[in-house]
PDB file of all heavy atoms in Angstrom:
ATOM      1  N   SER A   1    -160.336 -60.652   6.882  1.00 89.00           N
ATOM      2  CA  SER A   1    -159.681 -61.029   5.637  1.00 89.00           C
ATOM      3  C   SER A   1    -159.237 -62.486   5.723  1.00 89.00           C
ATOM      4  O   SER A   1    -159.296 -63.119   6.775  1.00 89.00           O
ATOM      5  CB  SER A   1    -158.484 -60.125   5.367  1.00 89.00           C
ATOM      6  OG  SER A   1    -157.526 -60.235   6.401  1.00 89.00           O
ATOM      7  N   GLY A   2    -158.758 -62.985   4.589  1.00 87.00           N
ATOM      8  CA  GLY A   2    -158.314 -64.370   4.546  1.00 87.00           C
ATOM      9  C   GLY A   2    -159.382 -65.265   3.953  1.00 87.00           C
ATOM     10  O   GLY A   2    -160.145 -64.851   3.096  1.00 87.00           O
ATOM     11  N   SER A   3    -159.454 -66.465   4.452  1.00 79.00           N
ATOM     12  CA  SER A   3    -160.398 -67.453   3.914  1.00 79.00           C
ATOM     13  C   SER A   3    -161.788 -67.232   4.500  1.00 79.00           C
ATOM     14  O   SER A   3    -162.338 -68.052   5.238  1.00 79.00           O
ATOM     15  CB  SER A   3    -159.908 -68.859   4.236  1.00 79.00           C
ATOM     16  OG  SER A   3    -158.620 -69.075   3.700  1.00 79.00           O
ATOM     17  N   VAL A   4    -162.344 -66.089   4.148  1.00 77.00           N
ATOM     18  CA  VAL A   4    -163.653 -65.705   4.681  1.00 77.00           C
ATOM     19  C   VAL A   4    -164.707 -65.920   3.629  1.00 77.00           C
ATOM     20  O   VAL A   4    -164.555 -65.505   2.488  1.00 77.00           O
ATOM     21  CB  VAL A   4    -163.640 -64.225   5.108  1.00 77.00           C
ATOM     22  CG1 VAL A   4    -165.009 -63.822   5.619  1.00 77.00           C
ATOM     23  CG2 VAL A   4    -162.587 -63.984   6.160  1.00 77.00           C
ATOM     24  N   SER A   5    -165.770 -66.559   4.019  1.00 74.00           N
ATOM     25  CA  SER A   5    -166.896 -66.736   3.105  1.00 74.00           C
ATOM     26  C   SER A   5    -168.185 -66.634   3.900  1.00 74.00           C
ATOM     27  O   SER A   5    -168.229 -66.991   5.070  1.00 74.00           O
ATOM     28  CB  SER A   5    -166.819 -68.080   2.403  1.00 74.00           C
ATOM     29  OG  SER A   5    -166.925 -69.136   3.352  1.00 74.00           O
ATOM     30  N   SER A   6    -169.203 -66.132   3.268  1.00 79.00           N
ATOM     31  CA  SER A   6    -170.535 -66.056   3.885  1.00 79.00           C
ATOM     32  C   SER A   6    -170.475 -65.500   5.301  1.00 79.00           C
ATOM     33  O   SER A   6    -170.853 -66.174   6.268  1.00 79.00           O
ATOM     34  CB  SER A   6    -171.182 -67.451   3.914  1.00 79.00           C
ATOM     35  OG  SER A   6    -171.287 -67.981   2.620  1.00 79.00           O
ATOM     36  N   VAL A   7    -169.988 -64.293   5.400  1.00 82.00           N
ATOM     37  CA  VAL A   7    -169.951 -63.661   6.720  1.00 82.00           C
ATOM     38  C   VAL A   7    -171.371 -63.233   7.069  1.00 82.00           C
ATOM     39  O   VAL A   7    -171.952 -62.385   6.417  1.00 82.00           O
ATOM     40  CB  VAL A   7    -169.011 -62.451   6.732  1.00 82.00           C
ATOM     41  CG1 VAL A   7    -169.059 -61.761   8.097  1.00 82.00           C
ATOM     42  CG2 VAL A   7    -167.593 -62.886   6.413  1.00 82.00           C
ATOM     43  N   ASN A   8    -171.916 -63.834   8.092  1.00 86.00           N
ATOM     44  CA  ASN A   8    -173.311 -63.595   8.433  1.00 86.00           C
ATOM     45  C   ASN A   8    -173.482 -62.425   9.381  1.00 86.00           C
ATOM     46  O   ASN A   8    -174.298 -61.539   9.174  1.00 86.00           O
ATOM     47  CB  ASN A   8    -173.916 -64.858   9.057  1.00 86.00           C
ATOM     48  CG  ASN A   8    -173.755 -66.051   8.166  1.00 86.00           C
ATOM     49  OD1 ASN A   8    -172.984 -66.967   8.448  1.00 86.00           O
ATOM     50  ND2 ASN A   8    -174.459 -66.045   7.048  1.00 86.00           N
ATOM     51  N   VAL A   9    -172.703 -62.436  10.442  1.00 93.00           N
ATOM     52  CA  VAL A   9    -172.823 -61.423  11.480  1.00 93.00           C
ATOM     53  C   VAL A   9    -171.429 -60.886  11.807  1.00 93.00           C
ATOM     54  O   VAL A   9    -170.462 -61.643  11.859  1.00 93.00           O
ATOM     55  CB  VAL A   9    -173.457 -61.981  12.768  1.00 93.00           C
ATOM     56  CG1 VAL A   9    -173.620 -60.884  13.820  1.00 93.00           C
ATOM     57  CG2 VAL A   9    -174.803 -62.621  12.460  1.00 93.00           C
ATOM     58  N   MET A  10    -171.351 -59.597  11.994  1.00 94.00           N
ATOM     59  CA  MET A  10    -170.142 -58.962  12.512  1.00 94.00           C
ATOM     60  C   MET A  10    -170.556 -58.089  13.685  1.00 94.00           C
ATOM     61  O   MET A  10    -171.702 -57.618  13.751  1.00 94.00           O
ATOM     62  CB  MET A  10    -169.447 -58.124  11.447  1.00 94.00           C
ATOM     63  CG  MET A  10    -168.973 -58.927  10.252  1.00 94.00           C
ATOM     64  SD  MET A  10    -168.078 -57.942   9.018  1.00 94.00           S
ATOM     65  CE  MET A  10    -166.515 -57.635   9.875  1.00 94.00           C
ATOM     66  N   GLY A  11    -169.635 -57.879  14.584  1.00 97.00           N
ATOM     67  CA  GLY A  11    -170.028 -57.061  15.718  1.00 97.00           C
ATOM     68  C   GLY A  11    -168.902 -56.745  16.673  1.00 97.00           C
ATOM     69  O   GLY A  11    -167.742 -57.086  16.423  1.00 97.00           O
ATOM     70  N   TRP A  12    -169.307 -56.113  17.758  1.00 98.00           N
ATOM     71  CA  TRP A  12    -168.359 -55.659  18.769  1.00 98.00           C
ATOM     72  C   TRP A  12    -168.822 -56.093  20.160  1.00 98.00           C
ATOM     73  O   TRP A  12    -170.007 -55.992  20.495  1.00 98.00           O
ATOM     74  CB  TRP A  12    -168.263 -54.137  18.760  1.00 98.00           C
ATOM     75  CG  TRP A  12    -167.737 -53.553  17.500  1.00 98.00           C
ATOM     76  CD1 TRP A  12    -168.458 -53.162  16.411  1.00 98.00           C
ATOM     77  CD2 TRP A  12    -166.366 -53.288  17.189  1.00 98.00           C
ATOM     78  NE1 TRP A  12    -167.623 -52.679  15.443  1.00 98.00           N
ATOM     79  CE2 TRP A  12    -166.332 -52.741  15.892  1.00 98.00           C
ATOM     80  CE3 TRP A  12    -165.166 -53.459  17.884  1.00 98.00           C
ATOM     81  CZ2 TRP A  12    -165.147 -52.359  15.272  1.00 98.00           C
ATOM     82  CZ3 TRP A  12    -163.991 -53.073  17.273  1.00 98.00           C
ATOM     83  CH2 TRP A  12    -163.980 -52.538  15.987  1.00 98.00           C
ATOM     84  N   TYR A  13    -167.864 -56.538  20.937  1.00 98.00           N
ATOM     85  CA  TYR A  13    -168.040 -56.734  22.363  1.00 98.00           C
ATOM     86  C   TYR A  13    -166.966 -55.906  23.053  1.00 98.00           C
ATOM     87  O   TYR A  13    -166.009 -55.477  22.421  1.00 98.00           O
ATOM     88  CB  TYR A  13    -167.874 -58.212  22.744  1.00 98.00           C
ATOM     89  CG  TYR A  13    -169.112 -59.050  22.534  1.00 98.00           C
ATOM     90  CD1 TYR A  13    -169.577 -59.337  21.251  1.00 98.00           C
ATOM     91  CD2 TYR A  13    -169.822 -59.560  23.615  1.00 98.00           C
ATOM     92  CE1 TYR A  13    -170.721 -60.104  21.060  1.00 98.00           C
ATOM     93  CE2 TYR A  13    -170.955 -60.330  23.440  1.00 98.00           C
ATOM     94  CZ  TYR A  13    -171.391 -60.600  22.160  1.00 98.00           C
ATOM     95  OH  TYR A  13    -172.523 -61.361  21.976  1.00 98.00           O
ATOM     96  N   ARG A  14    -167.127 -55.696  24.334  1.00 98.00           N
ATOM     97  CA  ARG A  14    -166.094 -54.985  25.082  1.00 98.00           C
ATOM     98  C   ARG A  14    -165.896 -55.620  26.448  1.00 98.00           C
ATOM     99  O   ARG A  14    -166.818 -56.237  26.996  1.00 98.00           O
ATOM    100  CB  ARG A  14    -166.440 -53.505  25.240  1.00 98.00           C
ATOM    101  CG  ARG A  14    -167.643 -53.209  26.119  1.00 98.00           C
ATOM    102  CD  ARG A  14    -167.967 -51.719  26.076  1.00 98.00           C
ATOM    103  NE  ARG A  14    -169.092 -51.377  26.954  1.00 98.00           N
ATOM    104  CZ  ARG A  14    -169.653 -50.180  27.002  1.00 98.00           C
ATOM    105  NH1 ARG A  14    -169.196 -49.190  26.220  1.00 98.00           N
ATOM    106  NH2 ARG A  14    -170.658 -49.951  27.828  1.00 98.00           N
ATOM    107  N   GLU A  15    -164.694 -55.428  26.958  1.00 97.00           N
ATOM    108  CA  GLU A  15    -164.332 -56.020  28.243  1.00 97.00           C
ATOM    109  C   GLU A  15    -163.582 -54.988  29.063  1.00 97.00           C
ATOM    110  O   GLU A  15    -162.491 -54.558  28.693  1.00 97.00           O
ATOM    111  CB  GLU A  15    -163.466 -57.262  28.001  1.00 97.00           C
ATOM    112  CG  GLU A  15    -163.210 -58.094  29.235  1.00 97.00           C
ATOM    113  CD  GLU A  15    -162.541 -59.409  28.874  1.00 97.00           C
ATOM    114  OE1 GLU A  15    -162.908 -60.030  27.859  1.00 97.00           O
ATOM    115  OE2 GLU A  15    -161.612 -59.792  29.601  1.00 97.00           O
ATOM    116  N   ALA A  16    -164.188 -54.606  30.171  1.00 95.00           N
ATOM    117  CA  ALA A  16    -163.545 -53.677  31.093  1.00 95.00           C
ATOM    118  C   ALA A  16    -162.788 -54.478  32.155  1.00 95.00           C
ATOM    119  O   ALA A  16    -163.131 -55.639  32.406  1.00 95.00           O
ATOM    120  CB  ALA A  16    -164.587 -52.782  31.746  1.00 95.00           C
ATOM    121  N   PRO A  17    -161.798 -53.889  32.786  1.00 90.00           N
ATOM    122  CA  PRO A  17    -161.022 -54.619  33.800  1.00 90.00           C
ATOM    123  C   PRO A  17    -161.923 -55.189  34.882  1.00 90.00           C
ATOM    124  O   PRO A  17    -162.755 -54.483  35.459  1.00 90.00           O
ATOM    125  CB  PRO A  17    -160.088 -53.539  34.353  1.00 90.00           C
ATOM    126  CG  PRO A  17    -159.928 -52.573  33.252  1.00 90.00           C
ATOM    127  CD  PRO A  17    -161.259 -52.542  32.563  1.00 90.00           C
ATOM    128  N   GLY A  18    -161.759 -56.477  35.145  1.00 92.00           N
ATOM    129  CA  GLY A  18    -162.519 -57.123  36.196  1.00 92.00           C
ATOM    130  C   GLY A  18    -163.962 -57.442  35.854  1.00 92.00           C
ATOM    131  O   GLY A  18    -164.716 -57.891  36.713  1.00 92.00           O
ATOM    132  N   LYS A  19    -164.346 -57.222  34.609  1.00 94.00           N
ATOM    133  CA  LYS A  19    -165.728 -57.468  34.205  1.00 94.00           C
ATOM    134  C   LYS A  19    -165.787 -58.460  33.064  1.00 94.00           C
ATOM    135  O   LYS A  19    -164.797 -58.713  32.379  1.00 94.00           O
ATOM    136  CB  LYS A  19    -166.413 -56.161  33.808  1.00 94.00           C
ATOM    137  CG  LYS A  19    -166.533 -55.159  34.949  1.00 94.00           C
ATOM    138  CD  LYS A  19    -167.337 -53.950  34.530  1.00 94.00           C
ATOM    139  CE  LYS A  19    -167.520 -52.982  35.690  1.00 94.00           C
ATOM    140  NZ  LYS A  19    -168.341 -51.796  35.288  1.00 94.00           N
ATOM    141  N   GLN A  20    -166.970 -59.004  32.842  1.00 95.00           N
ATOM    142  CA  GLN A  20    -167.136 -59.950  31.741  1.00 95.00           C
ATOM    143  C   GLN A  20    -167.211 -59.195  30.415  1.00 95.00           C
ATOM    144  O   GLN A  20    -167.439 -57.994  30.388  1.00 95.00           O
ATOM    145  CB  GLN A  20    -168.407 -60.770  31.953  1.00 95.00           C
ATOM    146  CG  GLN A  20    -169.692 -59.952  31.857  1.00 95.00           C
ATOM    147  CD  GLN A  20    -170.929 -60.798  32.088  1.00 95.00           C
ATOM    148  OE1 GLN A  20    -170.870 -61.896  32.636  1.00 95.00           O
ATOM    149  NE2 GLN A  20    -172.070 -60.311  31.662  1.00 95.00           N
ATOM    150  N   ARG A  21    -167.048 -59.952  29.350  1.00 95.00           N
ATOM    151  CA  ARG A  21    -167.156 -59.371  28.018  1.00 95.00           C
ATOM    152  C   ARG A  21    -168.634 -59.173  27.693  1.00 95.00           C
ATOM    153  O   ARG A  21    -169.423 -60.109  27.764  1.00 95.00           O
ATOM    154  CB  ARG A  21    -166.498 -60.291  26.998  1.00 95.00           C
ATOM    155  CG  ARG A  21    -166.308 -59.672  25.626  1.00 95.00           C
ATOM    156  CD  ARG A  21    -165.482 -60.558  24.716  1.00 95.00           C
ATOM    157  NE  ARG A  21    -164.106 -60.673  25.172  1.00 95.00           N
ATOM    158  CZ  ARG A  21    -163.138 -61.251  24.442  1.00 95.00           C
ATOM    159  NH1 ARG A  21    -163.404 -61.728  23.238  1.00 95.00           N
ATOM    160  NH2 ARG A  21    -161.909 -61.320  24.930  1.00 95.00           N
ATOM    161  N   ASP A  22    -168.993 -57.956  27.339  1.00 96.00           N
ATOM    162  CA  ASP A  22    -170.389 -57.608  27.108  1.00 96.00           C
ATOM    163  C   ASP A  22    -170.636 -57.195  25.667  1.00 96.00           C
ATOM    164  O   ASP A  22    -169.758 -56.626  25.004  1.00 96.00           O
ATOM    165  CB  ASP A  22    -170.815 -56.441  28.013  1.00 96.00           C
ATOM    166  CG  ASP A  22    -170.962 -56.837  29.462  1.00 96.00           C
ATOM    167  OD1 ASP A  22    -171.253 -58.025  29.736  1.00 96.00           O
ATOM    168  OD2 ASP A  22    -170.769 -55.971  30.328  1.00 96.00           O
ATOM    169  N   LEU A  23    -171.854 -57.412  25.230  1.00 97.00           N
ATOM    170  CA  LEU A  23    -172.275 -57.008  23.895  1.00 97.00           C
ATOM    171  C   LEU A  23    -172.264 -55.500  23.758  1.00 97.00           C
ATOM    172  O   LEU A  23    -172.761 -54.780  24.637  1.00 97.00           O
ATOM    173  CB  LEU A  23    -173.683 -57.526  23.612  1.00 97.00           C
ATOM    174  CG  LEU A  23    -174.370 -56.964  22.368  1.00 97.00           C
ATOM    175  CD1 LEU A  23    -173.732 -57.498  21.106  1.00 97.00           C
ATOM    176  CD2 LEU A  23    -175.866 -57.269  22.395  1.00 97.00           C
ATOM    177  N   VAL A  24    -171.703 -55.018  22.637  1.00 98.00           N
ATOM    178  CA  VAL A  24    -171.823 -53.610  22.287  1.00 98.00           C
ATOM    179  C   VAL A  24    -172.828 -53.471  21.148  1.00 98.00           C
ATOM    180  O   VAL A  24    -173.856 -52.806  21.280  1.00 98.00           O
ATOM    181  CB  VAL A  24    -170.464 -53.016  21.879  1.00 98.00           C
ATOM    182  CG1 VAL A  24    -170.626 -51.559  21.448  1.00 98.00           C
ATOM    183  CG2 VAL A  24    -169.462 -53.123  23.025  1.00 98.00           C
ATOM    184  N   ALA A  25    -172.530 -54.110  20.020  1.00 98.00           N
ATOM    185  CA  ALA A  25    -173.424 -54.016  18.862  1.00 98.00           C
ATOM    186  C   ALA A  25    -173.094 -55.107  17.868  1.00 98.00           C
ATOM    187  O   ALA A  25    -171.940 -55.535  17.764  1.00 98.00           O
ATOM    188  CB  ALA A  25    -173.290 -52.644  18.198  1.00 98.00           C
ATOM    189  N   THR A  26    -174.117 -55.544  17.133  1.00 97.00           N
ATOM    190  CA  THR A  26    -173.917 -56.495  16.057  1.00 97.00           C
ATOM    191  C   THR A  26    -174.699 -56.047  14.836  1.00 97.00           C
ATOM    192  O   THR A  26    -175.665 -55.274  14.956  1.00 97.00           O
ATOM    193  CB  THR A  26    -174.375 -57.917  16.447  1.00 97.00           C
ATOM    194  OG1 THR A  26    -175.784 -57.887  16.713  1.00 97.00           O
ATOM    195  CG2 THR A  26    -173.635 -58.437  17.660  1.00 97.00           C
ATOM    196  N   ILE A  27    -174.285 -56.547  13.681  1.00 96.00           N
ATOM    197  CA  ILE A  27    -174.981 -56.227  12.443  1.00 96.00           C
ATOM    198  C   ILE A  27    -174.926 -57.448  11.531  1.00 96.00           C
ATOM    199  O   ILE A  27    -173.883 -58.087  11.392  1.00 96.00           O
ATOM    200  CB  ILE A  27    -174.371 -54.978  11.766  1.00 96.00           C
ATOM    201  CG1 ILE A  27    -175.186 -54.573  10.531  1.00 96.00           C
ATOM    202  CG2 ILE A  27    -172.900 -55.175  11.432  1.00 96.00           C
ATOM    203  CD1 ILE A  27    -174.849 -53.175  10.022  1.00 96.00           C
ATOM    204  N   THR A  28    -176.061 -57.782  10.936  1.00 93.00           N
ATOM    205  CA  THR A  28    -176.126 -58.915  10.026  1.00 93.00           C
ATOM    206  C   THR A  28    -175.790 -58.475   8.606  1.00 93.00           C
ATOM    207  O   THR A  28    -175.698 -57.287   8.314  1.00 93.00           O
ATOM    208  CB  THR A  28    -177.524 -59.547  10.030  1.00 93.00           C
ATOM    209  OG1 THR A  28    -178.419 -58.631   9.369  1.00 93.00           O
ATOM    210  CG2 THR A  28    -178.010 -59.813  11.445  1.00 93.00           C
ATOM    211  N   ASN A  29    -175.646 -59.456   7.725  1.00 89.00           N
ATOM    212  CA  ASN A  29    -175.348 -59.107   6.334  1.00 89.00           C
ATOM    213  C   ASN A  29    -176.564 -58.482   5.643  1.00 89.00           C
ATOM    214  O   ASN A  29    -176.452 -57.977   4.526  1.00 89.00           O
ATOM    215  CB  ASN A  29    -174.829 -60.317   5.564  1.00 89.00           C
ATOM    216  CG  ASN A  29    -175.735 -61.518   5.677  1.00 89.00           C
ATOM    217  OD1 ASN A  29    -176.654 -61.548   6.467  1.00 89.00           O
ATOM    218  ND2 ASN A  29    -175.480 -62.520   4.866  1.00 89.00           N
ATOM    219  N   TYR A  30    -177.713 -58.508   6.286  1.00 92.00           N
ATOM    220  CA  TYR A  30    -178.891 -57.828   5.761  1.00 92.00           C
ATOM    221  C   TYR A  30    -179.093 -56.461   6.400  1.00 92.00           C
ATOM    222  O   TYR A  30    -180.057 -55.761   6.084  1.00 92.00           O
ATOM    223  CB  TYR A  30    -180.141 -58.687   5.991  1.00 92.00           C
ATOM    224  CG  TYR A  30    -180.111 -59.965   5.206  1.00 92.00           C
ATOM    225  CD1 TYR A  30    -179.828 -61.182   5.827  1.00 92.00           C
ATOM    226  CD2 TYR A  30    -180.369 -59.975   3.845  1.00 92.00           C
ATOM    227  CE1 TYR A  30    -179.795 -62.362   5.105  1.00 92.00           C
ATOM    228  CE2 TYR A  30    -180.355 -61.148   3.108  1.00 92.00           C
ATOM    229  CZ  TYR A  30    -180.062 -62.341   3.751  1.00 92.00           C
ATOM    230  OH  TYR A  30    -180.033 -63.508   3.027  1.00 92.00           O
ATOM    231  N   GLY A  31    -178.175 -56.090   7.289  1.00 92.00           N
ATOM    232  CA  GLY A  31    -178.254 -54.773   7.901  1.00 92.00           C
ATOM    233  C   GLY A  31    -179.014 -54.706   9.209  1.00 92.00           C
ATOM    234  O   GLY A  31    -179.183 -53.620   9.776  1.00 92.00           O
ATOM    235  N   GLY A  32    -179.477 -55.829   9.703  1.00 96.00           N
ATOM    236  CA  GLY A  32    -180.147 -55.844  10.985  1.00 96.00           C
ATOM    237  C   GLY A  32    -179.170 -55.588  12.113  1.00 96.00           C
ATOM    238  O   GLY A  32    -178.063 -56.126  12.110  1.00 96.00           O
ATOM    239  N   THR A  33    -179.544 -54.739  13.045  1.00 97.00           N
ATOM    240  CA  THR A  33    -178.634 -54.353  14.122  1.00 97.00           C
ATOM    241  C   THR A  33    -179.206 -54.684  15.496  1.00 97.00           C
ATOM    242  O   THR A  33    -180.422 -54.791  15.679  1.00 97.00           O
ATOM    243  CB  THR A  33    -178.320 -52.854  14.076  1.00 97.00           C
ATOM    244  OG1 THR A  33    -179.543 -52.107  14.168  1.00 97.00           O
ATOM    245  CG2 THR A  33    -177.614 -52.480  12.782  1.00 97.00           C
ATOM    246  N   ASN A  34    -178.292 -54.831  16.437  1.00 97.00           N
ATOM    247  CA  ASN A  34    -178.660 -55.082  17.825  1.00 97.00           C
ATOM    248  C   ASN A  34    -177.625 -54.371  18.693  1.00 97.00           C
ATOM    249  O   ASN A  34    -176.427 -54.423  18.399  1.00 97.00           O
ATOM    250  CB  ASN A  34    -178.660 -56.582  18.121  1.00 97.00           C
ATOM    251  CG  ASN A  34    -179.121 -56.899  19.523  1.00 97.00           C
ATOM    252  OD1 ASN A  34    -180.067 -56.293  20.021  1.00 97.00           O
ATOM    253  ND2 ASN A  34    -178.471 -57.851  20.178  1.00 97.00           N
ATOM    254  N   TYR A  35    -178.100 -53.703  19.756  1.00 98.00           N
ATOM    255  CA  TYR A  35    -177.204 -52.927  20.602  1.00 98.00           C
ATOM    256  C   TYR A  35    -177.360 -53.325  22.065  1.00 98.00           C
ATOM    257  O   TYR A  35    -178.455 -53.656  22.520  1.00 98.00           O
ATOM    258  CB  TYR A  35    -177.494 -51.432  20.482  1.00 98.00           C
ATOM    259  CG  TYR A  35    -177.186 -50.845  19.138  1.00 98.00           C
ATOM    260  CD1 TYR A  35    -178.144 -50.766  18.143  1.00 98.00           C
ATOM    261  CD2 TYR A  35    -175.914 -50.345  18.861  1.00 98.00           C
ATOM    262  CE1 TYR A  35    -177.860 -50.236  16.899  1.00 98.00           C
ATOM    263  CE2 TYR A  35    -175.613 -49.798  17.623  1.00 98.00           C
ATOM    264  CZ  TYR A  35    -176.587 -49.750  16.652  1.00 98.00           C
ATOM    265  OH  TYR A  35    -176.288 -49.207  15.428  1.00 98.00           O
ATOM    266  N   GLY A  36    -176.252 -53.233  22.796  1.00 97.00           N
ATOM    267  CA  GLY A  36    -176.338 -53.385  24.232  1.00 97.00           C
ATOM    268  C   GLY A  36    -177.074 -52.198  24.832  1.00 97.00           C
ATOM    269  O   GLY A  36    -177.007 -51.081  24.307  1.00 97.00           O
TER     270      GLY A  36
END
């Protein structure tokens, strides 16, 4: 929310203790998806 315009991609990453942040899933405004 807020001053948001033309949101192209939204998604999720996750970070477990002691580990790097990894890709979970993303989705484009056209519905294209990508998963870890």
Side-chain angles (χ1 to χ4, degrees):
S1 61
S3 302
V4 178
S5 63
S6 302
V7 177
N8 305 110
V9 182
M10 298 183 72
W12 297 90
Y13 278 69
R14 67 186 182 187
E15 189 171 320
K19 297 186 177 181
Q20 67 181 18
R21 191 172 293 189
D22 288 333
L23 169 71
V24 177
T26 62
I27 185 166
T28 71
N29 53 349
Y30 294 104
T33 58
N34 184 41
Y35 293 92

